[in-house]
Amino acid sequence: MTATHPTHGAHAPSAKREWAGGLTVFAAVTLMLVGVLDIFRGIMGIAEDDVFVTTQNYVFKFDLTAWGWTHLVLGALAVLVGMGLGRGALWARVSGVVIAGLVVIANFLSLPYYPVWSVVMIAFSGFVIWALCVGGRSRT
């Protein structure tokens, strides 16, 4: 009696698709989380400038209210792109990498004003970029 068993290779494309889909969901949720947290950070910067520590000898000096608006806009864009990622849109994947990169740059530049939070946001955004670049469409 012979039984037909699927070979190990037959499950590989399905597993790869599931892995890529999982990374996309991870990126979408994380990007929306980064966006919401950046919106809150922007509101803090707009409403209360004195929440942030000011350093006198930092190379990049910014008006903290304008910096709050920058974080607010980046956060809103991150939430919108995260929603697009949830729907599986290709434009959202490309935009997600760009927005997460801009969030990394914005948080790097605001590092002396809110250092621990900036490092956390840089790490989250780095995970988003990694998930969007690695979890691409399967070519098989």
Side-chain angles (χ1 to χ4, degrees):
M1 299 177 95
T2 60
T4 57
H5 297 289
T7 61
H8 180 65
H11 294 291
S14 176
K16 285 181 182 178
R17 271 188 244 125
E18 287 179 20
W19 176 254
L23 282 176
T24 302
V25 170
F26 169 79
V29 170
T30 306
L31 190 61
M32 285 191 286
L33 176 67
V34 165
V36 168
L37 294 175
D38 227 15
I39 287 171
F40 288 145
R41 185 174 183 181
I43 291 170
M44 283 184 348
I46 294 167
E48 295 289 330
D49 283 1
D50 56 352
V51 171
F52 297 99
V53 176
T54 56
T55 56
Q56 296 176 0
N57 296 326
Y58 188 55
V59 175
F60 305 109
K61 293 187 181 189
F62 301 103
D63 175 35
L64 292 178
T65 303
W67 205 238
W69 280 105
T70 302
H71 281 286
L72 183 71
V73 169
L74 279 174
L77 288 173
V79 169
L80 292 174
V81 170
M83 287 184 208
L85 279 171
R87 304 190 95 206
L90 180 61
W91 65 267
R93 181 174 294 278
V94 174
S95 299
V97 172
V98 170
I99 293 295
L102 290 174
V103 169
V104 167
I105 292 168
N107 281 292
F108 176 76
L109 292 175
S110 67
L111 201 56
Y113 301 112
Y114 219 61
V116 175
W117 194 250
S118 294
V119 170
V120 169
M121 294 296 281
I122 289 169
F124 275 146
S125 299
F127 283 130
V128 168
I129 293 170
W130 171 78
L132 289 176
C133 291
V134 170
R137 293 183 177 176
S138 176
R139 294 188 175 147
T140 57

